[in-house]
Amino acid sequence: MMSKKIFMISFIVMMTMTMNYSSNAQTVQQRPIFQTKYTADPAPLVHNDTVFVYTGHDEDDAMGFKMYDWLLYYSTDMVNWTEYGVVATLDNFDWVPQRNGAWAAQAVERNGKFYLYCPVPGGVGIGVLVTDSPYGPFKDPVGGPLIQNSPHDIDPTVLIDDDGQAYMYWGNPKVYYVKLNKDMISYSGEIVQEPTTPDNYQEGPWVWKRNEHYYLAYASTCCPEGIGYAMSDSPTGPWEYKGMIVDALEKTRGNHPGIIEFKGKSYVFGHSYDQLKQTTTKFYERRSVDMDEMVYNPDGTIQNRDYWSVEGPDQVGTLNPFNRVEAETMAWSEGLKTRFETEWEGDFDWARGERIADRLFLTDINHGDFTKVRGVDFADGAESVEVSVSPIYGGMIEIRADKKDGPLIAKVEINGERQEGIWSTLSVPVSTNIKGVHDVYFVFRGEKDLFYFDWWKFN
Ligand code: FUB
């Protein structure tokens, strides 16, 4: 039997390990990059100074693939991400007979229009949606599938070559491609099954061009899946396998690449089951998007990484707290969910074709939950902070600098009279003379179901 002394020593060692882990988690944890929902199949798009990431959405109670809609997140600094919410659903397509099956989509921009290529598995086909803004609203301009070629019509990716010719690639377990017309919603010529499907190709192609090299990345080997890639001198191959961008480790299981350049750096996105594994040892299709910097070698090949780093890439830029910031803008959060709500049925902007009082906000706010916003630039200082909240049972927001228990910047009390759907803007003075760049924590105190939180702003 374990002696009392050994038990005490083991207990202290265990406690120290736990405390070290949680203090690390406070300062560097940034994997997965979105925490309030399960997300999969990331499709990043750079537009002006912003990265938009369109993702699939695994429902919270999914066991197999339970995917009804596509979500959108955006960032200007690669560490703080704002959740926009649902950007399209299978209901956008009149001809799709099912509600489940919003698999891996990709958005591309051409001549000021944004096209979202959406596969529906089981031989239903690949549809396309179009809009004038990266936020939608997306509409189906075709009224039927753009591609309906085989049961393998999944995971479309689009390359617009320097000469203006656009190609769409897709497929599992072979790669198919076709030339898209300039309208991006129709194609010309035959659908070609790529004769040189590269080694380890599984699904999820992502094609791009850099310095005269064409790249094809893909979910590679199965299962587990990592992210492999091949290169070519031409958009139509032949493709030569070059190696793994992210290794296939036991913990990766499924994967799906998305690759971009932003502010002079390259990034690879994929997904993992890490967030699910924090809640259960069982396997369900509840995935979460990951991302890291990706580095090219001088000959154009890509450096390998074994897995997603915990701390993610460096921040590129800072966040301005003197603009209104959505509460669902964060580098990390614990315990929180979000909800979309239309405030008044009557507030409809007929010119824009959308409701003007729609909002996405933080929910499920309980004692100890928090969000972390990185690299907030207070410049010469702030005098007060405003928050937009809707009380449930009431509680407190402690706004702290640099750590969850760091110096208190301000404290906002939200009284506990339930006012479902009624939003108030509360303003309190800043208690610390905060200047320059800091991480900011919004730490929630009270008991349970404290309030909803929509946005904040320093003055
Ligand atoms: O998310 C559904 C399917 O799983 C995608 O279409 C594949 O790429 C794989 O990630």
Side-chain angles (χ1 to χ4, degrees):
M1 225 169 104
M2 204 189 273
S3 74
K4 218 172 173 183
K5 194 170 162 196
I6 294 177
F7 174 79
M8 276 311 291
I9 291 170
S10 320
F11 180 71
I12 290 166
V13 169
M14 260 174 56
M15 285 305 290
T16 316
M17 283 167 64
T18 316
M19 283 163 61
N20 280 343
Y21 174 74
S22 45
S23 68
N24 266 343
Q26 254 186 46
T27 50
V28 296
Q29 173 77 30
Q30 215 162 264
R31 185 183 88 205
I33 60 172
F34 315 130
Q35 304 89 39
T36 63
K37 288 187 170 69
Y38 289 108
T39 53
D41 306 327
L45 165 78
V46 177
H47 175 61
N48 296 336
D49 64 347
T50 304
V51 177
F52 295 88
V53 183
Y54 299 82
T55 74
H57 176 200
D58 291 332
E59 294 292 320
D60 283 358
D61 61 353
M63 300 180 83
F65 289 126
K66 192 174 180 188
M67 307 179 77
Y68 302 144
D69 44 36
W70 291 277
L71 306 176
L72 173 60
Y73 295 79
Y74 56 94
S75 174
T76 55
D77 63 16
M78 298 310 278
V79 301
N80 295 308
W81 291 94
T82 304
E83 182 177 344
Y84 179 77
V86 173
V87 77
T89 82
L90 286 181
D91 291 341
N92 286 62
F93 298 107
D94 286 347
W95 48 273
V96 170
Q98 66 218 53
R99 199 174 152 230
N100 186 9
W103 282 24
Q106 186 184 349
V108 294
E109 181 187 2
R110 182 163 205 175
N111 297 333
K113 292 214 178 292
F114 297 82
Y115 300 87
L116 187 65
Y117 296 89
C118 305
V120 187
V124 181
I126 298 173
V128 57
L129 298 172
V130 65
T131 185
D132 295 329
S133 143
Y135 304 98
F138 283 95
K139 302 255 162 58
D140 176 0
V142 178
L146 170 60
I147 300 290
Q148 202 178 38
N149 178 55
S150 78
H152 313 298
D153 298 336
I154 63 163
D155 296 355
T157 179
V158 171
L159 166 81
I160 304 174
D161 206 349
D162 298 339
D163 63 3
Q165 178 62 57
Y167 300 82
M168 185 166 78
Y169 311 75
W170 71 94
N172 166 339
K174 297 279 176 197
V175 185
Y176 299 82
Y177 72 85
V178 76
K179 285 184 176 176
L180 292 179
N181 294 331
K182 285 217 167 84
D183 65 10
M184 301 297 276
I185 60 168
S186 61
Y187 65 87
S188 297
E190 296 293 306
I191 293 174
V192 182
Q193 183 186 311
E194 172 57 57
T196 56
T197 295
D199 287 358
N200 294 338
Y201 177 85
Q202 186 66 26
E203 59 182 6
W206 185 274
V207 178
W208 76 105
K209 187 180 186 186
R210 182 179 181 268
N211 298 342
E212 303 309 312
H213 296 302
Y214 293 85
Y215 293 83
L216 166 61
Y218 44 89
S220 186
T221 75
C222 184
C223 293
E225 286 177 347
I227 296 176
Y229 78 106
M231 290 172 68
S232 178
D233 296 333
S234 136
T236 55
W239 297 98
E240 189 185 339
Y241 176 67
K242 291 292 180 181
M244 299 297 280
I245 303 173
V246 183
D247 285 342
L249 303 184
E250 199 41 57
K251 56 185 171 183
T252 57
R253 182 115 181 187
N255 225 322
H256 191 109
I259 289 162
I260 50 159
E261 299 210 356
F262 181 62
K263 296 188 179 172
K265 293 182 174 188
S266 299
Y267 298 90
V268 54
F269 292 69
H271 62 223
S272 72
Y273 296 77
D274 291 341
Q275 196 176 1
L276 167 73
K277 284 181 192 156
Q278 286 163 15
T279 63
T280 176
T281 52
K282 292 192 183 146
F283 176 78
Y284 301 119
E285 290 294 354
R286 297 180 204 162
R287 299 158 291 176
S288 302
V289 167
D290 299 294
M291 178 264 296
D292 258 304
E293 194 177 335
M294 189 181 88
V295 180
Y296 290 91
N297 296 311
D299 66 356
T301 56
I302 298 170
Q303 290 182 13
N304 162 267
R305 62 166 50 252
D306 67 344
Y307 199 59
W308 309 104
S309 66
V310 173
E311 67 279 9
D314 291 340
Q315 185 168 9
V316 288
T318 52
L319 187 135
N320 182 351
F322 304 109
N323 289 334
R324 169 181 153 152
V325 181
E326 296 302 317
E328 60 277 8
T329 297
M330 57 184 83
W332 186 248
S333 69
E334 288 185 11
L336 302 165
K337 305 293 284 180
T338 55
R339 194 162 91 211
F340 176 81
E341 192 174 80
T342 297
E343 194 170 10
W344 302 110
E345 286 298 319
D347 281 354
F348 196 83
D349 183 334
W350 291 100
R352 289 169 60 200
E354 61 191 46
R355 301 197 184 285
I356 51 179
D358 290 351
R359 60 173 98 222
L360 189 87
F361 52 90
L362 288 183
T363 67
D364 296 61
I365 302 180
N366 298 312
H367 180 76
D369 295 343
F370 69 95
T371 64
K372 170 186 178 180
V373 185
R374 276 185 58 190
V376 177
D377 189 355
F378 288 95
D380 293 337
E383 287 174 1
S384 64
V385 59
E386 291 171 77
V387 297
S388 170
V389 288
S390 177
I392 308 176
Y393 292 109
M396 176 121 58
I397 306 177
E398 291 174 1
I399 307 176
R400 294 188 175 271
D402 301 320
K403 291 202 290 189
K404 197 179 158 191
D405 53 0
L408 189 70
I409 302 172
K411 209 186 234 186
V412 190
E413 274 189 51
I414 294 123
N415 90 36
E417 244 171 73
R418 191 186 187 99
Q419 293 176 35
E420 192 79 34
I422 306 291
W423 291 86
S424 318
T425 302
L426 307 178
S427 180
V428 296
V430 163
S431 51
T432 311
N433 186 14
I434 187 150
K435 291 184 177 182
V437 179
H438 295 268
D439 293 346
V440 174
Y441 286 73
F442 292 81
V443 186
F444 306 111
R445 303 283 180 209
E447 290 183 12
K448 246 180 131 262
D449 291 331
L450 310 182
F451 40 80
Y452 301 131
F453 184 15
D454 190 16
W455 56 264
W456 56 269
K457 178 178 183 295
F458 280 84
N459 295 303

Coordinates of all heavy atoms in Angstrom, one line a residue, residues 59 220 248 250 276 311 361 380 459:
E59 N -22.2 19.5 -36.1 CA -23.1 19.8 -35.0 C -22.6 19.3 -33.7 O -21.9 18.3 -33.6 CB -24.5 19.2 -35.3 CG -25.2 19.8 -36.5 CD -25.6 21.2 -36.3 OE1 -26.0 21.6 -35.2 OE2 -25.4 22.0 -37.2
S220 N -4.1 13.2 -46.9 CA -3.1 12.3 -47.4 C -3.0 11.1 -46.5 O -2.8 11.2 -45.3 CB -1.8 13.0 -47.4 OG -0.8 12.3 -48.0
A248 N 0.8 12.5 -40.9 CA -0.3 11.7 -40.5 C 0.0 11.0 -39.2 O 0.7 10.0 -39.2 CB -0.7 10.8 -41.6
E250 N -1.4 9.3 -35.4 CA -2.6 8.6 -34.9 C -3.7 9.6 -34.5 O -4.9 9.4 -34.7 CB -2.2 7.7 -33.8 CG -3.2 6.6 -33.5 CD -3.8 5.9 -34.8 OE1 -3.0 5.4 -35.6 OE2 -5.0 6.0 -34.9
L276 N -12.7 17.7 -29.3 CA -13.6 16.6 -28.9 C -12.9 15.8 -27.8 O -13.6 15.4 -26.8 CB -13.8 15.7 -30.1 CG -14.5 14.4 -29.8 CD1 -15.9 14.6 -29.5 CD2 -14.4 13.4 -31.0
E311 N 0.7 26.9 -29.7 CA 0.7 28.4 -29.6 C 0.3 29.1 -30.9 O 0.0 30.3 -30.9 CB 2.0 28.9 -29.1 CG 3.2 28.8 -30.0 CD 3.8 27.4 -29.9 OE1 3.2 26.5 -29.3 OE2 4.9 27.2 -30.6
F361 N -23.9 36.7 -30.7 CA -23.4 37.1 -29.4 C -23.0 35.9 -28.6 O -23.3 34.8 -28.9 CB -24.4 38.0 -28.7 CG -25.8 37.3 -28.6 CD1 -26.1 36.5 -27.5 CD2 -26.7 37.5 -29.6 CE1 -27.4 35.9 -27.4 CE2 -28.0 36.9 -29.5 CZ -28.3 36.1 -28.4
D380 N -2.0 55.6 -26.0 CA -1.7 56.4 -24.8 C -2.6 56.2 -23.6 O -2.5 56.9 -22.6 CB -1.7 57.9 -25.2 CG -0.6 58.2 -26.1 OD1 0.4 57.5 -26.1 OD2 -0.8 59.2 -26.9
N459 N -12.9 53.8 -24.7 CA -12.9 55.2 -25.1 C -11.8 55.9 -24.4 O -11.3 55.5 -23.3 CB -14.2 55.8 -24.7 CG -15.4 55.2 -25.4 OD1 -15.4 55.1 -26.7 ND2 -16.3 54.6 -24.7

